[in-house]
Amino acid sequence: MAPKASSKGTAQITPETVVYVDKAGADTPEHGLFAVVTFKAGNRAKDSVSITAAQGGFRWKTLDGKTIKAGNNEGAGNIAPIGLNDAGGKPTVRANTYQVNTVAFDISSVEKGGTLVYVDGDGVAFRWKVPATSSGPTANALKSALK
């Protein structure tokens, strides 16, 4: 089942890559690491659909149960890797397209891994396990884009 993004349609949210970095551009994390996740937001409908990523739809759930909101401080909120859409996700996905966005969290090294949570427009939560090491098909490219 795809997450419902807004009352106007359904988007498919698919996390793809996670990297852990101790610096992104000029920003340094307050808690030691940035966890940056790329995700695809797809829309197969004939109309545009809005996603909740920019309104706090993404959360990081640590192994000990702590919940961290995306962009939890200025540094994490400013991360926008070169070549990808804006941090947190553009709110609108045009009809019959997809876009790759990023979402970032300022975490400590013991908070690596855990669960990525996306809460859709109806308040339904979708969860994905996140590895404790940088991984995914674009991990090296994402690290380079964050320099």
Side-chain angles (χ1 to χ4, degrees):
M1 180 178 180
K4 185 169 184 183
S6 71
S7 59
K8 296 179 183 176
T10 301
Q12 287 188 302
I13 305 296
T14 308
E16 293 188 316
T17 296
V18 62
V19 297
Y20 299 98
V21 294
D22 57 8
K23 188 172 183 174
D27 293 310
T28 56
E30 293 175 16
H31 303 338
L33 286 174
F34 287 126
V36 183
V37 178
T38 64
F39 67 95
K40 277 187 180 179
N43 178 12
R44 294 188 204 173
K46 63 179 182 171
D47 296 317
S48 294
V49 65
S50 296
I51 61 173
T52 64
Q55 292 83 36
F58 276 106
R59 294 164 177 104
W60 186 272
K61 185 130 183 163
T62 65
L63 295 174
D64 66 0
K66 179 180 172 186
T67 300
I68 301 167
K69 288 187 176 184
N72 55 316
N73 60 33
E74 187 174 344
N78 286 337
I79 293 177
I82 297 167
L84 298 175
N85 290 316
D86 60 338
K90 289 186 178 184
T92 302
V93 183
R94 292 187 329 262
N96 296 308
T97 64
Y98 77 90
Q99 58 196 34
V100 179
N101 296 327
T102 60
V103 62
F105 306 85
D106 187 339
I107 64 171
S108 69
S109 61
V110 297
E111 295 170 329
K112 290 168 72 174
T115 305
L116 180 68
V117 180
Y118 175 77
V119 179
D120 73 8
D122 286 337
V124 177
F126 295 84
R127 294 169 176 79
W128 299 270
K129 291 290 181 192
V130 179
T133 58
S134 295
S135 64
T138 59
N140 289 336
L142 181 55
K143 281 184 181 181
S144 292
L146 291 168
K147 291 183 178 182

